[in-house]
Amino acid sequence: MSLLSVVCEMAPYLLLGFFIAGVLHVFVPQKFYANYLSRSNKLSVVWAALLGIPLPLCSCGVIPTAIGLRNEKASKGAIASFLIATPQTGIDSILATFSLMGLGFAIIRPTAALITGICGGLLVNRFVKDPQPPSSNTQHPTPITHHPLLLVLKYAYYDMLRDIGLRLLIGLLVAALIQVAVPDEFFLSFGSQPLLQMLVILLIAVPMYICSTGSIPVAAALMMKGLSPGAALVMLMAGPAVNLASILVVHKSMGRRFTFIYLMTIVCSSVLFGLLLNASGIDFTVAAQDACCAHTSALPSPFKMVCATVLTLLIIFALMMKLFSRFTHKKPLDPDVTVYCVDDMHCSHCEAAVVRAVEEVPGVEKAKASASSNTLTIKGPATEASVRAAVESAGYTFKGKA
């Protein structure tokens, strides 16, 4: 039941996030990102945080959107800013925060998200190398002969799920186990130690999924039972901003150093803002009846069940196709077709990068890459040496003929 609850809570936002990523991939001109988010400077980081704060995306829903931004040439600093700021707030959660926790929290929450996102982005710009891939004459790797809506749906609900579906499933399972194993009363046994409260909240809230809106009644109810306002703010910031599923996907897509800065920014900033809030001495009163009765979803339960079912089927289909492709590769009969081994391809975007590189080679009539089988299929009389040079120039490891 806990796993079902987590999936139902996440599914609508995940589906929305994947769709936004598909729209960005197909419709938004690459020049937009080059102008606003591609430079490793302060302005791109600020723009990314401002862009993300009003979006109603949770920590999992923001992942596909951020990956889509990255694949459209956004800088890593801008991506970090977007990943940190976006899931903490949204138009819906700001209004819900005001209704349950008052004007103070409704102002502090997006302000803290903005500052945290900008700080994380600046740190990534400072400490993470961000080599941009070479520009291509084609804006997108998908053929433009298909209907744009079909391209959006394929990219959103097949390509991206094939890339991150397995890690997402692992994160969901572990998050559900945490929710089952940790009793609610555990948080209430540290009432006289606000800093210890914050650390305990962090240990539980960071790996566990909770959306920005769903965290509000939980924080409000715990405040009524003695949780300090600062610890409640830590839950409102760190809980929605990150979870185990997002950590795994960010690590896969962005690298170890990026993930470390991403996590440390969220953890340290939430504790810092929590301590400042407690030190301010402001009286944050919460109406007990409202807090206890407000844990109702803005989305109807049947709608969540439908979204969870659709998401589950899409993930199963994408992963089955990925697994199936590993065992269905056959040696080509056409003498003009050659299959090479290429390592270090991990997703559909790696495939697209390899294909773009080798399509520029004289003699290549058609190319197809497979990350699941680590193969590159070339049709045409291109030489192995020229193909090797193109693959290695794109940053991948060429292993010769399969």
Side-chain angles (χ1 to χ4, degrees):
M1 287 301 293
S2 180
L3 177 61
L4 177 63
S5 174
V6 173
V7 175
C8 287
E9 191 67 30
M10 292 175 62
Y13 300 98
L14 276 171
L15 292 174
L16 175 61
F18 285 126
F19 184 77
I20 291 174
V23 171
L24 292 171
H25 179 72
V26 174
F27 289 107
V28 179
Q30 187 170 313
K31 182 183 293 186
F32 174 84
Y33 301 100
N35 290 338
Y36 292 97
L37 301 182
S38 63
R39 300 175 185 271
S40 297
N41 58 22
K42 298 178 182 178
L43 189 58
S44 67
V45 170
V46 174
W47 272 114
L50 291 173
L51 175 68
I53 282 178
L55 293 180
L57 295 175
C58 65
S59 58
C60 282
V62 74
I63 294 296
T65 307
I67 295 175
L69 287 170
R70 177 59 180 164
N71 294 325
E72 302 300 339
K73 313 292 188 183
S75 69
K76 282 191 174 182
I79 295 305
S81 179
F82 185 83
L83 277 173
I84 294 170
T86 303
Q88 295 186 47
T89 62
I91 295 298
D92 56 336
S93 65
I94 293 173
L95 296 175
T97 303
F98 172 75
S99 65
L100 280 183
M101 307 186 74
L103 181 62
F105 267 103
I107 294 174
I108 291 171
R109 196 177 185 189
T111 302
L114 176 64
I115 296 173
T116 305
I118 291 174
C119 290
L122 293 177
L123 288 172
V124 166
N125 277 346
R126 176 66 178 83
F127 295 106
V128 180
K129 293 182 179 179
D130 189 20
Q132 291 296 330
S135 59
S136 174
N137 294 331
T138 55
Q139 179 176 332
H140 301 290
T142 35
I144 59 175
T145 55
H146 294 81
H147 192 281
L149 181 58
L150 294 179
L151 299 181
V152 170
L153 296 178
K154 178 181 180 296
Y155 180 86
Y157 302 123
Y158 177 72
D159 292 341
M160 300 201 73
L161 285 173
R162 188 185 63 174
D163 295 341
I164 69 174
L166 181 60
R167 283 173 170 79
L168 184 60
L169 284 177
I170 294 173
L172 288 173
L173 289 172
V174 175
L177 288 175
I178 291 174
Q179 287 189 346
V180 171
V182 179
D184 295 337
E185 295 79 10
F186 185 77
F187 293 107
L188 305 178
S189 59
F190 305 93
S192 61
Q193 305 176 61
L195 181 58
L196 186 56
Q197 284 183 350
M198 296 178 194
L199 297 179
V200 172
I201 291 289
L202 281 173
L203 288 175
I204 305 302
V206 166
M208 184 174 61
Y209 168 79
I210 184 168
C211 70
S212 60
T213 302
S215 64
I216 298 168
V218 177
L222 290 176
M223 281 184 64
M224 293 304 300
K225 295 181 180 181
L227 195 72
S228 68
L233 183 61
V234 169
M235 172 177 284
L236 292 175
M237 292 179 63
V242 66
N243 62 57
L244 187 60
S246 66
I247 293 171
L248 292 173
V249 177
V250 168
H251 181 270
K252 175 180 182 290
S253 304
M254 300 295 176
R256 182 181 302 175
R257 184 173 296 185
F258 181 103
T259 306
F260 177 78
I261 295 175
Y262 161 72
L263 283 174
M264 288 300 101
T265 301
I266 293 170
V267 169
C268 296
S269 297
S270 61
V271 172
L272 176 61
F273 277 102
L275 293 174
L276 290 175
L277 188 61
N278 283 342
S280 68
I282 302 175
D283 183 21
F284 291 93
T285 58
V286 181
Q289 292 184 349
D290 290 344
C292 293
C293 300
H295 197 20
T296 57
S297 175
L299 297 173
S301 180
F303 177 76
K304 288 186 175 182
M305 288 295 296
V306 170
C307 290
T309 302
V310 170
L311 179 64
T312 302
L313 293 176
L314 287 171
I315 292 176
I316 292 173
F317 174 76
L319 293 181
M320 286 183 64
M321 292 300 294
K322 183 176 181 179
L323 182 64
F324 183 71
S325 66
R326 291 188 176 185
F327 302 102
T328 56
H329 174 70
K330 296 181 180 180
K331 194 171 183 178
L333 300 178
D334 191 338
D336 201 26
V337 175
T338 307
V339 179
Y340 299 101
C341 291
V342 177
D343 285 349
D344 302 325
M345 293 189 298
H346 303 292
C347 65
S348 60
H349 306 293
C350 296
E351 296 172 352
V354 171
V355 169
R356 283 197 302 268
V358 300
E359 281 181 342
E360 301 295 327
V361 174
V364 174
E365 300 173 8
K366 187 177 181 181
K368 181 179 180 181
S370 172
S372 59
S373 59
N374 293 322
T375 58
L376 170 65
T377 304
I378 298 292
K379 179 177 175 60
T383 64
E384 180 175 339
S386 61
V387 174
R388 174 190 294 272
V391 170
E392 292 179 349
S393 68
Y396 299 90
T397 304
F398 185 84
K399 294 288 189 178
K401 292 183 179 180

